[in-house]
Amino acid sequence: MAREHLADTPSPAGKSWHEFAGPDALARTLARRVAGVLSLAVEQKGHAVLAVSGGTTPGRFFDCLAEEPIAWNKVTVTLVDERFVPMSSNRSNARLVTMRLLQKAAARASFEGLYEAAGTADAAAEAMNQRLMRLIPPPFDAAILGMGPDGHTASFFPDAAELKSLIDPQAEPGIRAVHSDSAGEARLTWNLAALASASLLVLHIEGLEKKDVALRATEPGSETMLPVAALFEHAKTPVQIYWSPGGKA
């Protein structure tokens, strides 16, 4: 394991790097880290909340976490963000989480998605905001985010009409609708104020391109071009970046 886990390096702008030789080693180590945080929360509070991202990157991590000996019946899993599509869609983040994470021991966890069959994403966000702020209000015990090559994390796209309000650290925590041409369709997302308060906040990225983006996000004034910079700047605890060279999940 020592050769697979290459380095832990403190970095500027409120983050810390954890580098691995490959995505399998990263997934195993991250799963153990998250399992420890969730188990401690269950021990201390009687329950835990985990927020996860979609896309292709977290597949291995989900597989590993599903096997961890956590009191899963006392854990609620939610999404960092979601496309405005039902779970039956192949583009649904909820579908990925159901197929890859909520399996084996983790099948006993509760799941709260962000999609609501409303007429618009704005109506869905309003409905789910009322529901989830009652059931699983932030701060979350752990939030595992991804990042796109454009520097978006969650659904904080650089061209989103709502970007300024989404990354406002003083905003009321909650779920918001996102409208972005680059996203291709409307999204639902927890805002920065909700995600930045997580006890464990992880950015899980793979590949040299995304590593370069994360490094550039430390430059002053980069929040509007690379929204992930807002996460580094305003997180309540340093963002833990787990990085490895890429590989298909």
Side-chain angles (χ1 to χ4, degrees), residues 20-114:
F20 298 82
D24 290 331
L26 185 159
R28 290 192 298 270
T29 304
L30 181 55
R32 287 194 294 268
R33 176 77 179 275
V34 172
V37 169
L38 297 180
S39 294
L40 180 60
V42 169
E43 179 182 337
Q44 293 180 340
K45 304 184 300 180
H47 68 280
V49 178
L50 166 67
V52 296
S53 63
T56 57
T57 300
R60 287 185 180 87
F61 162 63
F62 288 165
D63 294 341
C64 292
L65 185 59
E67 296 181 343
E68 288 291 326
I70 305 167
W72 283 106
N73 61 316
K74 298 180 180 179
V75 174
T76 298
V77 177
T78 190
L79 292 165
V80 167
D81 65 332
E82 177 62 286
R83 296 172 177 85
F84 185 51
V85 297
M87 192 183 293
S88 57
S89 170
N90 288 332
R91 303 190 307 281
S92 166
N93 288 341
R95 180 184 177 91
L96 171 69
V97 169
T98 300
M99 295 177 64
R100 297 293 290 269
L101 175 56
L102 302 180
Q103 301 291 327
K104 301 178 181 177
R108 295 181 295 148
S110 300
F111 177 68
E112 295 290 346
L114 303 187

Side-chain angles (χ1 to χ4, degrees), residues 21 30 39 69 122 139 149 151 156 181 205 221 243 249:
L30 181 55
S39 294
D122 296 272
F156 309 156
D181 289 341
I205 56 176
W243 175 86

Side-chain angles (χ1 to χ4, degrees), residues 6-32:
L6 300 180
D8 289 342
T9 308
S11 300
K15 65 185 189 301
S16 181
W17 286 89
H18 306 268
E19 297 195 0
F20 298 82
D24 290 331
L26 185 159
R28 290 192 298 270
T29 304
L30 181 55
R32 287 194 294 268

